[in-house]
Amino acid sequence: MMVPTSSHRSRVVVVGAGIVGASIAWRIAARGFRVTLIDKAEPGSGASSHSFAWINAGAKEPLGYHNFNRRSLDMWQRFGEALADDGNIAGIGLRWGGKVSWETEDDAAQRLVSQVRQLQSWGYPTRLISASELSELEPSLDVGDVTAAEYSENEGQVEPQLVVDACVRRLAELDAAVHTPTELVGFSFDKGGRIVAVSTTSGDIECDYVVLAAGTATTHLASLAGAYIPQAESPGVVIRTTPVRELLRNVPVVYAPGLGNGRQEIHIRQCADGRMMIGEGNQESLAEDDSQAHADDLLERACHYLPGIVGAEAIPVPVGWRPMPLDGYPVMGFTPEVPNMYIALTHSGVTLAPVLSQLAAMEVCDGVNADDVLSPYRPTRFARTKAR
Ligand SMILES: Cc1cc2nc3c(=O)[nH]c(=O)nc-3n(C[C@H](O)[C@H](O)[C@H](O)COP(=O)(O)OP(=O)(O)OC[C@H]3O[C@@H](n4cnc5c(N)ncnc54)[C@H](O)[C@@H]3O)c2cc1C
């Protein structure tokens, strides 16, 4: 019996050099395939540049999706070491130490306790902590009154731009092509409905496979090939500050309670260069106020809990649009409409980049289906919706 093996010289065009597309391109090129990565703009300048970039599996439901995120979280260290120059994960801003959050109001505290209990029942390393433990864990915080607090010790953060830049460097070492600015504008098909070339603003590129990892543009680009990949609009705002001295020395990610009067909870983390990132609400909160006034308000709220930021200036960042599949879950796999077009569309793409890139590379390069893991996330679920 002949055991099927992959054809190493297959040509793969990856569309979109965000953290998802760049990671997939790197993994496929590392398998010996001839990869061309294209982006209509600077690599990393899409949603990845707006991301809070917290690596986590909390607040991810149901259990299967939680475990999928957990698996990727657990892969990040090895993924980062393989990707970063000389294996130095600090070079891509990968940092561990966990996340703390706390609540002051009874109702919110009760919800926090329930969430911790559920995550613990799933075996996730999170736990309730006292106010004094919270202050000891991260002495730079001025936590105020605490009704309930939590510490999720295995979570972390990374800098998506540095990850994308590292992917581009690895791709160059693997003799893969990276073309920017090069916009995908159409496809050419053979009689069997397979894509034989992509049309771009830099000319046609012949290919055996196309990976669409174009973030929010994936819906439109897939439709050009006749595939239906619906998304929801999901605007988000995470502001920056001017650099401050190192503050969050122990716990990189902080969720602090709202201050009343519609001022929701905020999340704070510190970049490797000392800038703070501040957003409000949860991971999916819709926000479109990218004004200086709103940035100033977010900074003021952060100063309430992290006095060391006082004196920094708030730098507003334009609204970022999360790639957001209509049902909120990843879309991974070849489409039923076009057999050699692979979709890689997801929210939480920073957390999920290691697992998505590994599975996409395996499915494209080995011609196999990782159905036991990916069946909930197949593009076919939308084809069925459309047909009804
Ligand atoms: C405010 C905000 C906060 C977030 N916080 C977190 C978080 O804490 N943790 C987490 O895990 N995730 C978070 N996310 C989600 C995460 O950032 C995204 O899931 C991830 O960045 C998506 O990466 P991507 O590569 O799929 O898309 P993108 O980064 O958007 O990349 C897509 C690329 O495709 C290119 N492109 C588009 N059209 C074309 C075309 N026609 N031809 C060629 N190229 C094209 C674009 O220029 C872009 O560079 C957040 C997102 C936002 C916006």
Side-chain angles (χ1 to χ4, degrees):
M1 186 187 87
M2 277 290 289
V3 177
T5 55
S6 52
S7 160
H8 269 202
R9 300 313 296 163
S10 291
R11 300 155 303 173
V12 183
V13 173
V14 179
V15 183
I19 194 166
V20 172
S23 300
I24 292 172
W26 169 52
R27 297 263 211 187
I28 294 178
R31 290 288 310 272
F33 282 55
R34 286 182 286 167
V35 170
T36 303
L37 174 64
I38 66 169
D39 201 296
K40 67 177 183 181
E42 282 296 311
S45 62
S48 301
S49 69
H50 294 265
S51 187
F52 187 61
W54 163 40
I55 300 169
N56 76 94
K60 305 275 173 73
E61 295 179 339
L63 177 59
Y65 185 53
H66 165 82
N67 282 336
F68 194 57
N69 281 267
R70 172 93 186 264
R71 178 172 172 167
S72 198
L73 185 162
D74 290 341
M75 291 168 72
W76 249 111
Q77 177 74 19
R78 190 186 294 191
F79 178 81
E81 286 171 0
L83 176 65
D85 298 348
D86 303 321
N88 173 21
I89 59 165
I92 55 168
L94 180 58
R95 196 186 146 201
W96 301 109
K99 179 257 305 176
V100 288
S101 67
W102 70 99
E103 297 290 354
T104 51
E105 304 292 332
D106 285 347
D107 287 355
Q110 197 49 53
R111 282 194 296 277
L112 181 64
V113 171
S114 301
Q115 191 185 20
V116 168
R117 293 295 180 231
Q118 182 183 51
L119 287 169
Q120 287 181 316
S121 79
W122 290 348
Y124 194 60
T126 183
R127 61 191 160 89
L128 296 171
I129 56 174
S130 66
S132 56
E133 278 177 286
L134 176 59
S135 296
E136 279 163 28
L137 261 174
E138 192 44 74
S140 59
L141 291 172
D142 183 354
V143 297
D145 293 334
V146 175
T147 308
E150 155 272 346
Y151 176 46
S152 296
E153 66 189 36
N154 67 340
E155 298 178 356
Q157 67 176 36
V158 74
E159 301 301 343
Q161 185 65 59
L162 299 179
V163 173
V164 170
D165 292 346
C167 287
V168 170
R169 285 196 297 279
R170 299 292 84 82
L171 284 165
E173 291 163 4
L174 292 162
D175 287 332
V178 180
H179 295 314
T180 62
T182 294
E183 182 173 357
L184 175 74
V185 292
F187 303 94
S188 301
F189 299 90
D190 66 12
K191 287 186 181 141
R194 290 177 70 87
I195 295 170
V196 291
V198 294
S199 303
T200 79
T201 47
S202 306
D204 290 354
I205 306 171
E206 293 182 353
C207 57
D208 301 298
Y209 299 98
V210 176
V211 177
L212 273 191
T216 54
T218 300
T219 297
H220 169 65
L221 297 177
S223 77
L224 297 178
Y228 179 58
I229 308 293
Q231 284 188 71
E233 287 198 344
S234 185
V237 171
V238 179
I239 68 143
R240 310 284 199 276
T241 70
T242 48
V244 296
R245 68 184 165 82
E246 188 184 2
L247 289 172
L248 298 174
R249 287 170 182 269
N250 302 327
V251 183
V253 180
V254 171
Y255 267 70
L259 290 172
N261 292 329
R263 296 168 110 197
Q264 315 172 49
E265 64 174 330
I266 54 170
H267 36 280
I268 313 169
R269 75 172 183 88
Q270 189 162 27
C271 303
D273 61 7
R275 292 175 305 156
M276 308 300 299
M277 298 183 74
I278 311 166
E280 70 177 337
N282 62 32
Q283 290 174 74
E284 280 89 34
S285 290
L286 306 183
E288 290 194 71
D289 188 349
D290 53 11
S291 66
Q292 181 70 54
H294 183 61
D296 290 341
D297 182 55
L298 285 175
L299 175 59
E300 188 187 314
R301 285 144 72 183
C303 288
H304 183 88
Y305 296 112
L306 201 53
I309 316 179
V310 171
E313 288 170 30
I315 302 170
V317 175
V319 175
W321 296 87
R322 301 179 187 93
M324 186 60 77
L326 196 57
D327 57 8
Y329 297 108
V331 186
M332 291 293 294
F334 288 105
T335 61
E337 297 89 350
V338 185
N340 62 340
M341 183 171 77
Y342 195 97
I343 305 292
L345 172 70
T346 193
H347 177 47
S348 294
V350 174
T351 299
L352 290 171
V355 72
L356 295 184
S357 57
Q358 183 185 63
L359 294 173
M362 193 170 77
E363 293 199 311
V364 170
C365 299
D366 296 328
V368 295
N369 292 318
D371 274 341
D372 287 350
V373 189
L374 288 177
S375 61
Y377 312 127
R378 293 304 194 190
T380 43
R381 70 189 191 269
F382 297 118
R384 284 195 295 272
T385 312
K386 191 185 180 193
R388 272 204 287 272

Short mmCIF file of all heavy atoms in Angstrom, two decimals, residues 345-380:
data_model
loop_
_atom_site.label_atom_id
_atom_site.label_comp_id
_atom_site.label_asym_id
_atom_site.label_seq_id
_atom_site.Cartn_x
_atom_site.Cartn_y
_atom_site.Cartn_z
N LEU A 345 -10.68 32.48 9.59
CA LEU A 345 -11.31 33.71 10.09
C LEU A 345 -11.69 33.48 11.54
O LEU A 345 -12.33 32.47 11.87
CB LEU A 345 -12.57 34.00 9.27
CG LEU A 345 -13.46 35.14 9.77
CD1 LEU A 345 -12.78 36.49 9.58
CD2 LEU A 345 -14.80 35.13 9.05
N THR A 346 -11.33 34.41 12.40
CA THR A 346 -11.62 34.17 13.82
C THR A 346 -11.61 35.45 14.64
O THR A 346 -10.94 36.42 14.28
CB THR A 346 -10.57 33.20 14.41
OG1 THR A 346 -11.03 32.73 15.68
CG2 THR A 346 -9.21 33.85 14.59
N HIS A 347 -12.36 35.41 15.72
CA HIS A 347 -12.11 36.35 16.81
C HIS A 347 -11.05 35.71 17.71
O HIS A 347 -10.73 34.53 17.54
CB HIS A 347 -13.41 36.63 17.58
CG HIS A 347 -13.18 37.54 18.75
ND1 HIS A 347 -12.46 38.71 18.63
CD2 HIS A 347 -13.56 37.46 20.05
CE1 HIS A 347 -12.40 39.30 19.82
NE2 HIS A 347 -13.06 38.57 20.69
N SER A 348 -10.50 36.47 18.64
CA SER A 348 -9.46 35.95 19.55
C SER A 348 -8.29 35.35 18.78
O SER A 348 -7.69 34.36 19.21
CB SER A 348 -10.05 34.92 20.52
OG SER A 348 -10.96 35.53 21.39
N GLY A 349 -7.98 35.95 17.65
CA GLY A 349 -6.93 35.41 16.80
C GLY A 349 -5.54 35.49 17.42
O GLY A 349 -4.64 34.75 17.01
N VAL A 350 -5.37 36.36 18.41
CA VAL A 350 -4.07 36.42 19.07
C VAL A 350 -3.90 35.17 19.93
O VAL A 350 -2.90 34.46 19.84
CB VAL A 350 -3.95 37.72 19.91
CG1 VAL A 350 -2.67 37.70 20.72
CG2 VAL A 350 -4.01 38.93 18.99
N THR A 351 -4.90 34.88 20.73
CA THR A 351 -4.85 33.65 21.53
C THR A 351 -4.74 32.43 20.63
O THR A 351 -3.98 31.49 20.90
CB THR A 351 -6.12 33.54 22.40
OG1 THR A 351 -6.18 34.66 23.28
CG2 THR A 351 -6.14 32.25 23.20
N LEU A 352 -5.50 32.44 19.53
CA LEU A 352 -5.67 31.21 18.75
C LEU A 352 -4.63 31.00 17.65
O LEU A 352 -4.62 29.93 17.02
CB LEU A 352 -7.08 31.20 18.12
CG LEU A 352 -8.23 31.01 19.11
CD1 LEU A 352 -9.58 31.23 18.42
CD2 LEU A 352 -8.19 29.61 19.73
N ALA A 353 -3.76 31.96 17.40
CA ALA A 353 -2.82 31.84 16.27
C ALA A 353 -2.01 30.54 16.30
O ALA A 353 -1.86 29.88 15.26
CB ALA A 353 -1.90 33.06 16.22
N PRO A 354 -1.48 30.11 17.45
CA PRO A 354 -0.68 28.86 17.42
C PRO A 354 -1.49 27.65 16.97
O PRO A 354 -1.04 26.88 16.11
CB PRO A 354 -0.20 28.72 18.87
CG PRO A 354 -0.15 30.12 19.39
CD PRO A 354 -1.35 30.79 18.76
N VAL A 355 -2.68 27.46 17.52
CA VAL A 355 -3.42 26.25 17.16
C VAL A 355 -4.00 26.36 15.75
O VAL A 355 -3.98 25.39 14.98
CB VAL A 355 -4.52 25.92 18.21
CG1 VAL A 355 -5.68 26.88 18.16
CG2 VAL A 355 -5.02 24.49 18.02
N LEU A 356 -4.49 27.54 15.38
CA LEU A 356 -5.08 27.67 14.05
C LEU A 356 -4.02 27.48 12.97
O LEU A 356 -4.27 26.82 11.95
CB LEU A 356 -5.73 29.05 13.88
CG LEU A 356 -6.94 29.36 14.77
CD1 LEU A 356 -7.52 30.72 14.41
CD2 LEU A 356 -8.01 28.29 14.65
N SER A 357 -2.84 28.04 13.19
CA SER A 357 -1.80 27.91 12.17
C SER A 357 -1.32 26.47 12.07
O SER A 357 -1.05 25.96 10.98
CB SER A 357 -0.64 28.87 12.45
OG SER A 357 -0.09 28.64 13.73
N GLN A 358 -1.24 25.79 13.20
CA GLN A 358 -0.81 24.39 13.16
C GLN A 358 -1.82 23.53 12.40
O GLN A 358 -1.47 22.72 11.54
CB GLN A 358 -0.66 23.85 14.59
CG GLN A 358 -0.15 22.43 14.64
CD GLN A 358 -0.13 21.90 16.07
OE1 GLN A 358 -1.16 21.78 16.71
NE2 GLN A 358 1.06 21.61 16.56
N LEU A 359 -3.11 23.73 12.71
CA LEU A 359 -4.13 22.90 12.07
C LEU A 359 -4.30 23.25 10.60
O LEU A 359 -4.48 22.36 9.75
CB LEU A 359 -5.46 23.05 12.82
CG LEU A 359 -5.46 22.50 14.25
CD1 LEU A 359 -6.75 22.86 14.97
CD2 LEU A 359 -5.23 20.99 14.27
N ALA A 360 -4.26 24.54 10.27
CA ALA A 360 -4.39 24.93 8.86
C ALA A 360 -3.24 24.35 8.05
O ALA A 360 -3.44 23.82 6.94
CB ALA A 360 -4.42 26.46 8.74
N ALA A 361 -2.03 24.44 8.58
CA ALA A 361 -0.87 23.90 7.85
C ALA A 361 -1.02 22.40 7.66
O ALA A 361 -0.73 21.86 6.59
CB ALA A 361 0.42 24.22 8.61
N MET A 362 -1.51 21.71 8.68
CA MET A 362 -1.67 20.26 8.57
C MET A 362 -2.72 19.92 7.51
O MET A 362 -2.51 19.03 6.68
CB MET A 362 -2.08 19.69 9.93
CG MET A 362 -1.99 18.20 10.02
SD MET A 362 -2.22 17.67 11.72
CE MET A 362 -3.97 17.83 11.88
N GLU A 363 -3.83 20.63 7.53
CA GLU A 363 -4.90 20.31 6.58
C GLU A 363 -4.48 20.63 5.15
O GLU A 363 -4.79 19.89 4.22
CB GLU A 363 -6.19 21.04 6.98
CG GLU A 363 -6.74 20.50 8.30
CD GLU A 363 -8.21 20.82 8.52
OE1 GLU A 363 -8.58 22.00 8.35
OE2 GLU A 363 -8.97 19.90 8.87
N VAL A 364 -3.79 21.76 4.97
CA VAL A 364 -3.37 22.14 3.61
C VAL A 364 -2.23 21.23 3.15
O VAL A 364 -2.25 20.70 2.03
CB VAL A 364 -2.94 23.62 3.57
CG1 VAL A 364 -2.28 23.96 2.24
CG2 VAL A 364 -4.14 24.53 3.81
N CYS A 365 -1.25 21.03 3.99
CA CYS A 365 -0.03 20.33 3.55
C CYS A 365 -0.23 18.81 3.48
O CYS A 365 0.35 18.15 2.62
CB CYS A 365 1.14 20.64 4.48
SG CYS A 365 1.57 22.38 4.53
N ASP A 366 -1.00 18.26 4.39
CA ASP A 366 -1.14 16.81 4.45
C ASP A 366 -2.42 16.31 3.80
O ASP A 366 -2.63 15.09 3.70
CB ASP A 366 -1.07 16.33 5.90
CG ASP A 366 0.28 16.60 6.53
OD1 ASP A 366 1.29 16.57 5.79
OD2 ASP A 366 0.33 16.88 7.74
N GLY A 367 -3.29 17.25 3.41
CA GLY A 367 -4.54 16.83 2.77
C GLY A 367 -5.44 16.03 3.69
O GLY A 367 -6.18 15.16 3.24
N VAL A 368 -5.36 16.31 5.00
CA VAL A 368 -6.17 15.56 5.96
C VAL A 368 -7.22 16.49 6.57
O VAL A 368 -7.17 17.71 6.40
CB VAL A 368 -5.30 14.99 7.09
CG1 VAL A 368 -4.33 13.96 6.53
CG2 VAL A 368 -4.55 16.10 7.82
N ASN A 369 -8.16 15.90 7.27
CA ASN A 369 -9.17 16.68 7.99
C ASN A 369 -8.98 16.50 9.48
O ASN A 369 -9.04 15.37 9.96
CB ASN A 369 -10.59 16.22 7.63
CG ASN A 369 -10.93 16.54 6.20
OD1 ASN A 369 -10.62 17.62 5.73
ND2 ASN A 369 -11.55 15.59 5.52
N ALA A 370 -8.77 17.61 10.18
CA ALA A 370 -8.69 17.53 11.64
C ALA A 370 -10.10 17.70 12.21
O ALA A 370 -10.37 18.56 13.04
CB ALA A 370 -7.75 18.61 12.17
N ASP A 371 -11.00 16.84 11.71
CA ASP A 371 -12.42 17.03 12.01
C ASP A 371 -12.75 16.91 13.49
O ASP A 371 -13.66 17.58 13.98
CB ASP A 371 -13.26 16.01 11.24
CG ASP A 371 -13.58 16.51 9.84
OD1 ASP A 371 -13.47 17.73 9.62
OD2 ASP A 371 -13.94 15.69 8.99
N ASP A 372 -12.05 16.04 14.20
CA ASP A 372 -12.41 15.86 15.61
C ASP A 372 -12.22 17.15 16.39
O ASP A 372 -12.84 17.36 17.42
CB ASP A 372 -11.57 14.74 16.24
CG ASP A 372 -12.04 13.37 15.76
OD1 ASP A 372 -13.10 13.32 15.10
OD2 ASP A 372 -11.34 12.38 16.01
N VAL A 373 -11.33 18.01 15.90
CA VAL A 373 -11.10 19.29 16.57
C VAL A 373 -11.87 20.42 15.89
O VAL A 373 -12.44 21.29 16.54
CB VAL A 373 -9.59 19.65 16.54
CG1 VAL A 373 -9.30 20.86 17.41
CG2 VAL A 373 -8.74 18.48 16.96
N LEU A 374 -11.90 20.38 14.56
CA LEU A 374 -12.40 21.54 13.82
C LEU A 374 -13.85 21.43 13.34
O LEU A 374 -14.38 22.40 12.79
CB LEU A 374 -11.49 21.82 12.61
CG LEU A 374 -10.11 22.40 12.95
CD1 LEU A 374 -9.26 22.56 11.69
CD2 LEU A 374 -10.25 23.76 13.65
N SER A 375 -14.48 20.29 13.53
CA SER A 375 -15.83 20.16 12.96
C SER A 375 -16.81 21.25 13.41
O SER A 375 -17.65 21.68 12.62
CB SER A 375 -16.41 18.76 13.21
OG SER A 375 -16.52 18.52 14.57
N PRO A 376 -16.72 21.77 14.66
CA PRO A 376 -17.67 22.85 15.00
C PRO A 376 -17.39 24.15 14.26
O PRO A 376 -18.22 25.06 14.27
CB PRO A 376 -17.45 23.07 16.51
CG PRO A 376 -16.64 21.93 16.99
CD PRO A 376 -15.87 21.43 15.81
N TYR A 377 -16.22 24.23 13.62
CA TYR A 377 -15.78 25.52 13.07
C TYR A 377 -15.69 25.52 11.55
O TYR A 377 -15.05 26.38 10.96
CB TYR A 377 -14.43 25.90 13.69
CG TYR A 377 -14.41 25.76 15.20
CD1 TYR A 377 -13.43 25.01 15.85
CD2 TYR A 377 -15.40 26.35 15.97
CE1 TYR A 377 -13.44 24.87 17.24
CE2 TYR A 377 -15.43 26.21 17.35
CZ TYR A 377 -14.45 25.47 17.98
OH TYR A 377 -14.47 25.33 19.34
N ARG A 378 -16.33 24.57 10.92
CA ARG A 378 -16.20 24.47 9.47
C ARG A 378 -17.05 25.52 8.73
O ARG A 378 -18.17 25.85 9.17
CB ARG A 378 -16.63 23.08 9.00
CG ARG A 378 -15.71 21.96 9.46
CD ARG A 378 -14.29 22.19 9.04
NE ARG A 378 -13.48 20.97 9.20
CZ ARG A 378 -12.17 20.95 9.08
NH1 ARG A 378 -11.50 22.06 8.82
NH2 ARG A 378 -11.51 19.82 9.22
N PRO A 379 -16.56 25.99 7.58
CA PRO A 379 -17.35 26.95 6.79
C PRO A 379 -18.69 26.37 6.34
O PRO A 379 -19.62 27.13 6.08
CB PRO A 379 -16.46 27.23 5.57
CG PRO A 379 -15.12 26.70 5.88
CD PRO A 379 -15.25 25.70 6.98
N THR A 380 -18.79 25.05 6.28
CA THR A 380 -20.03 24.43 5.79
C THR A 380 -21.23 24.82 6.64
O THR A 380 -22.36 24.79 6.16
CB THR A 380 -19.90 22.89 5.83
OG1 THR A 380 -19.28 22.53 7.05
CG2 THR A 380 -19.09 22.37 4.67
#
